[in-house]
Amino acid sequence: MVNAVKVYKKTAPNGKITVYLGRRDFVDNATTTEPIDGVVLVDQDYLKGRNLYAAVNVTYRFGREEDEVMGLNFSKELQLTCQELPLTRQDVKATEVQERLLNKLGGNATPFFINLPENAPCSVQLHPGSEGTAKPLGVIYELKVYVGENSQDKPHRRNSVTLAVRKVQYAPLDRFSRQPSTLASKGFTFSSGKLNMEVTLAKELYYHGEQVRPSISISNNSKKTVKGIRCSVMQHVEVTMTNSQFTREVAGFETKEGCPITPGSHYHKEFTVVPLATNKTKFGIALDGKTKDSDANLASSTLSRDGATNDALGIIVSYSVRIRLNCGALGGELVADLPFKLMHPNQGQAGAGCNKIGGPGKRQESLEFEEFSRLRRGQSVDDL
């Protein structure tokens, strides 16, 4: 049986430049970031002494395009890197997909690797709240390959290739080992004693689609009665451009099981909640893929490198389990938040599986080319 390896292809409108990518997602594991790798095929007669360049731009849109009036812009575009691509194959170690492409495309094709800055933000999109918004909110990456006299030349749409790529963050290996817990208590006016609650999680790191199981212990040493409990997973989003923060509930339920919790009694219970992007129609929820993707995951937790503060332009995402105890109209609520990480699992060494198409004796895989402009809705994050 012959297995096909998908390769994304896009050609400039003038037909002189074609770029091939084996994947559209490039992984940051909080230690290193995979380079953007691919193969470019250029018509040598078209160059006429000019050079071939590749630039990675990031667009940071923090407001709706339809709200831009009188020259007010809610987006910022930055060029992260720009480098000249070799016109001949140099002494570089190409990936297996690149090797197969080079053998198929001939001598005018050359491989390339583009390294992103360490502090480059992750690709995150915020749901605009309506499907009619022209451009998505969030951080969007573009790879642009063009011909010019120098890197400062402004590329024309006709003689350049623009491809949308994403920088995604995966959980680093052997970094999260602690068991999170928090303790909250509440006293009441004109009433002695306190209501105490402890919330614990079995682990700090959870993967997308995995059940989060908070365990709560309540000691009611007050004279108030707990009438209900709400368990939620909260997504906390910080938009660094506008220095604004907001919170969205991505999963939750209410229960009266075991209630009322009367004065002097104790209560212990383990809840199960699964944070999913099923309510992605709510404005502001951060996703890791296109807002129209049927399987778009919630955005992964943002990790900084070696504990450093992430002050780069971007969107910082974090998660917490929130437990609310309802003590009635006069008693108010006791609220406890316990942070945790929500990420994609690391599949071992970064890039393993993305660029390999078979080991010794397994070279029967063929290359299947897909036009890059045809956006697939079946999968948001490529399997590693």
Side-chain angles (χ1 to χ4, degrees):
M1 182 177 179
V2 177
N3 298 322
V5 176
K6 187 174 297 296
V7 175
Y8 299 101
K9 167 189 174 183
K10 191 169 184 180
T11 304
N14 62 6
K16 305 298 184 181
I17 306 172
T18 304
V19 178
Y20 300 84
L21 294 180
R23 55 204 165 111
R24 295 190 271 192
D25 295 339
F26 301 90
V27 176
D28 174 9
N29 61 8
T31 303
T32 58
T33 302
E34 293 178 333
I36 299 176
D37 52 28
V39 171
V40 58
L41 178 63
V42 60
D43 188 341
Q44 298 294 327
D45 296 333
Y46 174 70
L47 292 174
K48 297 179 181 178
R50 295 177 296 178
N51 299 318
L52 187 64
Y53 295 95
V56 178
N57 300 327
V58 58
T59 301
Y60 186 16
R61 175 163 290 277
F62 52 92
R64 298 188 302 177
E65 186 180 22
E66 52 265 35
D67 294 336
E68 296 179 343
V69 293
M70 300 179 64
L72 180 65
N73 293 324
F74 292 130
S75 66
K76 187 177 183 64
E77 184 174 347
L78 303 173
Q79 185 179 91
L80 295 182
T81 182
C82 181
Q83 67 184 55
E84 181 180 348
L85 299 183
L87 299 179
T88 59
R89 179 169 181 178
Q90 298 177 338
D91 188 17
V92 295
K93 185 178 180 180
T95 65
E96 293 188 28
V97 170
Q98 287 177 323
E99 289 285 0
R100 290 288 297 272
L101 284 170
L102 293 173
N103 294 333
K104 185 177 183 65
L105 299 175
N108 289 338
T110 55
F112 64 86
F113 295 88
I114 302 174
N115 294 310
L116 297 175
E118 290 186 356
N119 61 348
C122 294
S123 298
V124 176
Q125 289 197 15
L126 303 180
H127 199 282
S130 64
E131 299 296 337
T133 301
K135 295 183 179 180
L137 308 180
V139 179
I140 299 98
Y141 279 87
E142 284 185 344
L143 169 65
K144 183 170 292 187
V145 180
Y146 62 95
V147 171
E149 298 289 343
N150 54 65
S151 60
Q152 303 302 320
D153 282 356
K154 187 175 181 181
H156 193 275
R157 184 176 180 180
R158 178 172 175 77
N159 61 2
S160 62
V161 178
T162 302
L163 309 98
V165 296
R166 296 194 304 136
K167 178 189 174 186
V168 295
Q169 199 163 47
Y170 279 46
L173 299 175
D174 303 328
R175 178 166 173 177
F176 303 103
S177 58
R178 71 183 187 92
Q179 182 179 4
S181 64
T182 186
L183 180 65
S185 62
K186 179 180 176 64
F188 301 91
T189 307
F190 307 119
S191 177
S192 60
K194 289 186 176 183
L195 176 63
N196 301 314
M197 175 174 59
E198 183 181 12
V199 184
T200 60
L201 289 172
K203 55 184 179 179
E204 184 180 4
L205 174 63
Y206 290 85
Y207 300 133
H208 291 286
E210 188 177 359
Q211 293 180 343
V212 180
R213 297 178 177 271
S215 178
I216 66 171
S217 296
I218 301 172
S219 297
N220 191 356
N221 299 321
S222 69
K223 296 182 179 181
K224 299 292 182 179
T225 299
V226 177
K227 300 181 177 181
I229 303 172
R230 181 167 184 83
C231 176
S232 307
V233 174
M234 311 302 296
Q235 183 188 73
H236 309 277
V237 179
E238 179 183 353
V239 183
T240 59
M241 174 66 74
T242 57
N243 197 25
S244 59
Q245 301 178 4
F246 55 88
T247 299
R248 296 289 183 267
E249 181 181 292
V250 294
F253 63 90
E254 292 185 5
T255 181
K256 294 184 180 294
E257 182 181 355
C259 297
I261 303 175
T262 56
S265 62
H266 299 273
Y267 177 87
H268 179 80
K269 180 70 176 178
E270 183 180 79
F271 295 121
T272 299
V273 61
V274 183
L276 296 172
T278 52
N279 57 349
K280 61 186 179 183
T281 55
K282 184 184 292 186
F283 170 76
I285 287 183
L287 305 174
D288 72 350
K290 299 286 186 181
T291 57
K292 295 182 180 180
D293 283 344
S294 60
D295 70 329
N297 289 301
L298 295 169
S300 297
S301 300
T302 304
L303 299 183
S304 59
R305 293 178 181 271
D306 301 324
T309 303
N310 190 348
D311 56 355
L313 296 179
I315 296 176
I316 300 175
V317 180
S318 60
Y319 292 89
S320 68
V321 171
R322 177 172 293 178
I323 306 295
R324 292 178 178 270
L325 304 184
N326 181 12
C327 300
L330 297 179
E333 290 183 333
L334 173 59
V335 182
D337 277 288
L338 182 58
F340 69 95
K341 308 296 183 185
L342 182 65
M343 305 192 72
H344 292 285
N346 193 316
Q347 303 293 326
Q349 186 178 0
C354 280
N355 295 317
K356 293 185 178 181
I357 54 180
K362 297 181 180 180
R363 294 282 180 175
Q364 71 275 22
E365 291 87 346
S366 62
L367 297 177
E368 176 185 335
F369 295 96
E370 176 178 331
E371 293 296 332
F372 200 89
S373 58
R374 299 177 185 173
L375 297 179
R376 295 176 61 87
R377 297 300 178 194
Q379 194 171 15
S380 299
V381 178
D382 297 337
D383 284 338
L384 290 185

